[in-house]
Amino acid sequence: MSPTTPEGPVVSYASAGVDIDAGERAVDALRPYAAKASRPEVLGGIGGFAGLFAVKFGKYTEPVLAASTDGVGTKVAVAQAMDKHDTIGLDLVAMVVDDLVVCGAEPLFLQDYIAVGKVVPEQIAAIVKGIAEGCQQAGCALLGGETAEHPGLMEEGGYDVSATGVGIVESGQMLRPQNVRPGDVLVALGSSGLHSNGYSLARHVLLDIARMPLGGQVEEFGHTLGEELLTPTRIYAKDCLTLAAETSVRTFAHITGGGLARNLERVLPAGLEATVERSSWTPAPVFKLIASRGRVERAEMEKTFNMGVGMVAVLPADDVDRALAVLTARHVPAWVLGEVRRSTKETDGTPGARVQLVGEHPRF
């Protein structure tokens, strides 16, 4: 309640819905988590106006900086409905850093932005805990961020998150589509589930049409629907960098919105096409559940979801065995997905037309 005077209530920022003191408490609560996500190049700590990072260019001849910005989409709606906020930060980091490593860049640091309807320090701390854990998994620093309270624009308990990451790569070691050759092999790196794409469709099918409760146990999953939908996105950054160091990988394709065909096509130079063999893997049960409960056609599933493939490495054929061994040692499910060849016909320019998915998934 706002204090009053004979002339009426005293108006303040807090009475308008913005609690600066709660913001300070949130910073204090998240500080221990953020401090763990650091690197030797970080100067200073949380609380400054800008994050400082001393880049050691000495080991590079022609360093190139890479930057990526992303969010996690409507997956945050599941986190809010479940009142579980300590995994959504892992998704955020994954969506940013796994875009950086596609070109061979080592993630250096990340900065987050959290917009909330009302600052709840414990909620903010849980989100940042996940972000910090994700940064540790990716080997980058959480260099800072911003929490903005938006009363009247967002409801209490509601929030959205985004982040920008910066990485570095030697110019001569950049991975790019121009490196891809006919005869190259596609190696799939398995996803941990839906990752952070297609949640508007997944929520519509499973929650609105099928009316499945988030807290309900699902036999195919071995846990609740909510737990499945909040499974964190796999962070491939260190796996991809290790693969780049130990093989002659040409490039990577991060399989996000648009699915396998559209994202793979982004790393194919003109004149080349790719074939993906569906018979090489069985998508996780969550994909079958969405398809069956919503009667979603295969083409729609494949352009919306990753279907079990979170990242694709494009490699020379004689490096495939080594790549599979490296990924197996790092506990990343991986298999030969398909191959690259010269284009056999003209396409009409439809996104993803130069990537053909053929055959049938086993047991799907």
Side-chain angles (χ1 to χ4, degrees), residues 300-340:
E300 187 68 20
M301 291 291 297
E302 290 180 342
K303 79 175 184 181
T304 304
F305 301 106
N306 66 61
M307 297 302 291
V309 180
M311 184 78 75
V312 176
V314 185
L315 299 123
D318 57 5
D319 261 355
V320 170
D321 288 345
R322 176 61 180 160
L324 292 174
V326 168
L327 293 169
T328 298
R330 297 186 62 82
H331 308 290
V332 179
W335 63 94
V336 173
L337 183 69
E339 63 179 359
V340 178

Side-chain angles (χ1 to χ4, degrees), residues 11-238:
V11 177
S12 67
Y13 208 7
S15 69
V18 177
D19 190 339
I20 295 176
D21 291 335
E24 293 293 341
R25 292 196 299 274
V27 172
D28 288 340
L30 65 83
R31 196 183 302 273
Y33 304 119
K36 295 178 181 179
S38 189
R39 286 175 54 123
E41 300 96 331
V42 174
L43 307 178
I46 299 296
F49 285 97
L52 303 176
F53 192 94
V55 182
K56 299 178 181 178
F57 288 115
K59 66 178 183 177
Y60 298 94
T61 303
E62 294 184 56
V64 175
L65 294 179
S68 175
T69 298
D70 213 335
V72 298
T74 60
K75 189 170 185 174
V76 296
V78 180
Q80 291 164 20
M82 294 282 290
D83 194 24
K84 179 174 172 56
H85 314 285
D86 59 348
T87 61
I88 209 74
L90 289 162
D91 295 292
L92 181 61
V93 175
M95 297 305 289
V96 173
V97 300
D98 287 343
D99 274 355
L100 293 176
V101 297
V102 162
C103 67
E106 175 192 359
L108 296 177
F109 58 82
L110 180 141
Q111 290 198 311
D112 64 68
Y113 179 83
I114 305 171
V116 299
K118 181 179 177 59
V119 169
V120 179
E122 297 77 15
Q123 184 188 67
I124 300 297
I127 296 170
V128 175
K129 177 183 179 182
I131 296 173
E133 182 179 339
C135 287
Q136 289 174 272
Q137 289 186 23
C140 66
L142 178 55
L143 198 56
E146 171 74 2
T147 300
E149 198 168 24
H150 292 163
L153 185 62
M154 302 178 73
E155 72 279 7
E156 289 190 18
Y159 62 84
D160 197 12
V161 295
S162 65
T164 296
V166 172
I168 191 168
V169 60
E170 179 66 51
S171 175
Q173 297 174 1
M174 286 177 61
L175 307 179
R176 56 181 81 189
Q178 294 93 314
N179 299 342
V180 179
R181 298 287 182 269
D184 283 347
V185 175
L186 309 175
V187 170
L189 282 66
S191 73
S192 55
L194 295 178
H195 282 186
S196 298
N197 297 102
Y199 271 76
S200 294
L201 177 57
R203 289 167 48 243
H204 177 58
V205 168
L206 300 178
L207 305 182
D208 300 336
I209 295 176
R211 297 188 178 278
M212 297 176 66
L214 288 171
Q217 194 79 6
V218 180
E219 184 178 352
E220 300 96 308
F221 303 157
H223 47 246
T224 68
L225 175 62
E227 288 172 324
E228 178 66 29
L229 295 181
L230 285 186
T231 300
T233 305
R234 189 185 296 273
I235 296 174
Y236 299 99
K238 288 186 176 180

